[in-house]
Every structure is written in structure tokens, then in C-alpha cells.
Amino acid sequence: MRHVLLTTLSFLLFVTAAMTPATHAQQQEDAERVAMYRHYLRYTSYVTGWYIEPNWLADGNSFWYASGAPDSIVISRVDPVANTEADLFDVVRLRSVLAEELGEDPPGKGVPFAQFHFVDDTEEAVRFAIEEREFVLHLDTYALTDGPDATVDVAPLSTPQVLRQGAHGRPDIREILSPDGQWLAHLKEHDLWLRSAFDDDLERITSDGTPEHYWGYGGITRALESELAWAWWSPDNRKLLVRKGDSRGVRKIPIVDWLDPSAEIEWIQSVHNVESGGTLPREQLYILDVSSRGLIGVDLGDTENQYLAVLGWMPDASEVFIARVDREYKQLDVVAANAEAGDTRVVLSETAETFIGGPLWFGPPSFVLLEDGTRFIWSSQRDGWYHHYLYRTDGTLVRQLTAGSFIAGRVITVDEANGWVYFYCFAGEQPYDAPVCRVGLDGEGFTLITDPVGRHWPVTFSPSAEFFLDTYSSVAVPPAVALRSTDGTLLRTLARADVSRLETELRWQPPEPFVVKASDGKTDLYGVLYKPYDFDSTKRYPVLEYIYGGPFANNVSHAFYQSPLPLAWAQLGIIVFVVDGRGTPERGKAFQDVTYGNVGRYEIPDHVATLRQLAADRPYMDLERVGIIGSSFGGYFTTRALLLAPEIYHVGIAVCPAADLYVKATVTEQYMGLPENNREGYEYASNADLAERLSGRLLIIHGTSDVNAPISEMMKMADAFIQAGRPFDLIILPNHDHQILRAPGPQGEYAREAVRRYLLEQLRP
């Protein structure tokens, strides 16, 4: 017995000695991966030196820009006509005169300021501030004089004030400043007021706003738009178009302040909380005559079940153009409202069997009113692709400007003097490449004026419309900024991103673009695959899909800057891929119409087909360990993937998901129709009805103050799993809104760390 015990003890000691170094090494490797993961969450901070913000000069062609680190700023002046670039300041002389005046060396090593202003159009002297002192520098002599007292920091009265804090992740609503800077449109007590920019006095214009019925000025249907426009000044400052909203009968969403001892409840009532088939708010538009203070209604007829978008004023302020579309997006009218009487005329109409274009709450289709006031450019996909059309303002179609199997994107600028329209277009070497194009107002001369590869954004034209700055990149090519003439001629490259830290410290390698077939075996799908920093093709890695899948937005980035999330997850030792399946935009109407009336039916098969094709010639992808993660619509499809393809997807993380497609009229009715006309489609799309199919591990993360996918959606899904006896994991973020995975602060960090732990525990990289 003693011999047996000694033998066993010796064996255990041997095993322990053999395992200890490996365990320690594994711990070190795991720690390095976690560190890399956290670094990649902010990988953009490792890339410098590429962004240029041009400050255009009086000639309309030349500009200056600042570059370099904060302590070594360089300010360059570029003359595109001469194709020259030179330092605007003699740094040695500048720092010398400043040191003499300040009694010490100015901060940094280069130009000690990044912003300045020319004193006048002669551009012979500049004004700038250092250490709370303002100076004027004469560029011919470098004589330095004191400027106005920079220590007195008085904000101008014309600065628009915040009228209402943005609730639950939404932007603030602000006053609207008149073009001449004299008046600000103001909201108070649900009524319209004017605030003088000179003496700060408030003048009440209306008195019929009633909070008890949410019948008030300011409108209610633009809550998710980037600028939250609620009023529009005419170019001559004499008129103001304003919204008035009526949300009586609209569904209310309760938002509970769970961190308050009394658990206060706020009732949210907005178009973005209307369930499919529910009551939409109604809006009316009014025009205020600033001189007489008279207010007239715009005759838009019955606005029930309509969405409205203001397109812009005529240059002479005689009319204002408005887009009106029915809730299913099958008919859109552009109408012109008379600024004096409020009567309207229909300028053009669009109809479609499925849906017209993108949702108005992402912004209306391109509408560019030309300066001559007699013509405008309209964007339509009536022939299956977004193209630009030239119209007269009386509604007469002049001509179609672009045509072909590509998308003519947003208009950047119009050079009326020379007859050119410049715009982004999806007409590069691959479907998602987005170069800059131009076409003549006569419909001739369509040309790509930038490289057809990659994404070109932002693009900034000179005031003269003779030159532009082209910022371009791809997933594998870091951004650069080129100066071009408007025929596309490359004049010079002004900046290239410095990715040396990214390559050395984070061991970055470009992600791998790929092309596969959809589940129909015919349609090409495009995506990107991410690998760990220490990728070894002889090893086997778990696989994670990052999904969105919604019919109005893409998830794959085709530019260098992209979501840091899939990059970071890959560093944990996971192969991550992203793909845009059929039903998503930027590929033409037929590609998007595949899922019309059937959202939830074809998306997961397309993504499964992608995964299988990727793994077929990539033996390092382990299909026994496959996960999927997504937020919002991506959360819905994450859950759906585990329910429809449990043999493929074993682990899921669904962030703020909906349980079905009844959740939000503004993002479903356009693509599904009304429930009363497509009951089978809505029922098929319900995840709650499939709860008993769950066999993998699912983590749901939801914020209690989410108004896009209310917490009730999580409750419906949770109850379905409970009734089906299917276990799932849940994290609740108290008082948090819809933005979770990219949110700053402790809750966003907590969610990201929870995701990291779940991936490591369940996928075992």
C-alpha cells in the first residue's frame, strides 16, 4: 500500500510539474489577448496624420490646414491653382516674437495655436489667442500687437440654446437661428416663441399648444434625425416654417427611473414608438410671417397616416418644398406650399409596388434646388436604381441625368456656372466601392473623377467648385487625402495616415474581404473576415458572426475606419466575419426587394450559406464552435439564428433585441406592409413563437430606458423562453438606452466586458 501511495504521489508531482509552466504560459497568453482586445476597442487612436479640415481663403480656391501633434502643430497654405504647398508661418520668427512678448517660450515646439482668423480679406494679418491673450500678427513684418481682450469670454446672444435635453440617447433640441442672425425660433410651453438675438427678449407667437394632448409646436416625428429640425427660416428671413404635432392616440412607452427611490415613470409618446399597424401621430405645418406675426396653415390635406419632410425654400422665399409619403412608402408626393397663402401644388409623385426609397426619418431622398430657382435635382429609384433627375420647379421632368446598373448617391455640390453635378456613386470596381462622379446638367459626360476602388468620404469642394479634397480608403488601405481638380486630375497627395503604431504595437494586419454566394446559389454577397493578431493557419479557431441584417442599413464597412468591435473580438482568438445579405441597401432595388414582406425569412439562410462557404476552404475555422452577436436589428437576428439554425449557431449575444416585427412601425411597415395585409409574414417573423427551438447558449443584454426596442420586448422574449422551459442568460442595464456596445461610461464598459467574458467562456478560444 505504501508503495502504491508513493507511486501515486510521484505521478501527481510529475504531472503538476509538467503542467505548471504550460498553465502559466496560457495565463500569460490569455492576459495578452485581453489586453489586445481592449487596445483594439480604441484602435483609431493608433492612427494619426490623415484628417485635413480645409479653411478656404478669399480667392475661393486656396486654403490652410493644421496638422501634426498638439505640441508640434504645422499650418500649411495650399494654392491649388499654382499647385503649391508651403508653411503659412515662419515658425522660428513667430515663436521668437511671442517669447519676447510673453516673457517665456510659447507652448509646444511648432505653431503654438491651431486656430486663427485673418483680420480681413487682404490676408495680411492674423488674429489668434495664447494663454488667454489675443494677438494680431502682421505677416509681412511679423510685428505683434495686442488684440481685443481675450480674457472676457462672452457667448453671443445668437448662440442657439438647448430647448430640451435629448432623452434616452437622442440629440438635444435647439433653437433655430435665422440666416441674418437676428432671431431665434424658440419653443416654450408647447408654443412657438421668437427670441431676439440682440436683447435676449422672448416674444410669444402662439398660445394653443396643449401638453395634456401632446398638441404642440416643434413636431414629434423627427426624433431620430441627426439635426432634429423643427423649424425652417426662409432665405430672406421674413418667413418661418414650423411643425405642429398631434400625438393623441399614439402608444405611450413607460420609462422607469429604477435608480430613483420612488421609481418615477416618464411616458414617451413618439412616432418611433408606434407599433406596426398602430396610430401614427399627425402633423401640420404653419408659416409665420415675421413682420406681421401672422401664422397660416399649410394645406396638405389629411395628414393622417402620413410622414412629412421639409425639403427647402425657393431662393426668393416664394414657396417651400415638402415631401409627403404614406406610412407604407408606396406613394410619395413633393408639394410646393405658397409662402403667403399656404395653398399647395403637387410638383411630382412617386409610386411603387413594394416601397419607395429609404425612410424619411433617415433623411428625405436627394433634393437639390438650383440657385436659379427654376430647377431642382431629384433622386429616385423608379428604374430599380437610385438615379438623379432634373426637374423644373413647375413639375416638368427635364431629363434623367444618370442611368445604369449602379446607385447614384448623395449630391455633394452643383456647379451651375459650368453645368456639372458632383455626387457619390456606387459605380466602382465592386458594388460597395463608392468613388466620386460627375455628370453634366445636360445629362452628358458621366465620369468617375476619383479612383474606382474604396470609399471616398469625406469629399470637400472649394467655394469656386474648381478643386476638391478627396479622402479615400478601403479595409486594407489606410486613409489618404488627395487634392484634385474637378475633372479628377490628381494635383498632390496632402496626407497619408500613419499606421506605424497600429502595425508595431497592435500587430495589425488588414482584414480579409471576401465574396460568397447567397443561399440561392447565384447572388454574390460581400463581407469582411477578421483574424487574431497572432493568427496561425495550422490552428483551429472558433467563429463569431457580427450581424445586423436590417433592411435599411449595412453592417459591413468597406472603408478603413469601421466598428472596432469585430476587430477587438478577433483578438480574443476568434475568427470574426461580417456580411450583408440580400434585403440590405446599396445594391439596387431588386436586391433589397428579396425580403419585402418576408423580413426574417431569407436572412439567416444567407448568413449560414456564407459561413459554410468561408469554412470550406479555411480549415482553421472550427464549425463546432460558432457564435453570433448583434445589436438592435442585429439582436433580433442573433436570436433568430439560434432558433432557425441551431445546428450551426451554438452561442449568441443579443443586445437590445426585439421579439418580433410589431415593435416599430417606422422600420417595419415600409418593408413588411401593414399587419392587416400581411399577417402571415408578421407571424413567421416572430422569435417568441420559436422559443422552444432554443438549444444553444443565449445572452440577452438590454437597457431599461430603451425607447427603440423597449424593455417590454425583452420581457416578451423572456416569457416565451420561460414558457418553453428554455434556459437563457440575461444582463439588465438600469436606466440605459439603446446604444450599449459602443456606449461610453461604466455601463458601456460593463457590457463590453460581459461580452468578452461570455465569448471566452462559451467559445473557448
Side-chain angles (χ1 to χ4, degrees), residues 56-57 60-61 461-466:
W56 300 102
L57 302 181
N61 290 317
F461 277 74
S462 64
S464 67
E466 295 180 12

Side-chain angles (χ1 to χ4, degrees), residues 49 169 181-182 225 227 290 296 324 356 373 533 550 616 677 706 709:
Q182 294 190 40
E225 288 192 15
E227 296 183 0
V290 177
I296 61 169
R324 176 182 62 200
I356 299 168
Y533 66 94
N677 301 324
D706 192 334

Side-chain angles (χ1 to χ4, degrees), residues 316-329:
D316 64 1
S318 61
E319 290 182 311
V320 61
F321 291 89
I322 301 154
R324 176 182 62 200
V325 64
D326 71 291
R327 69 186 295 165
E328 291 187 85
Y329 281 74

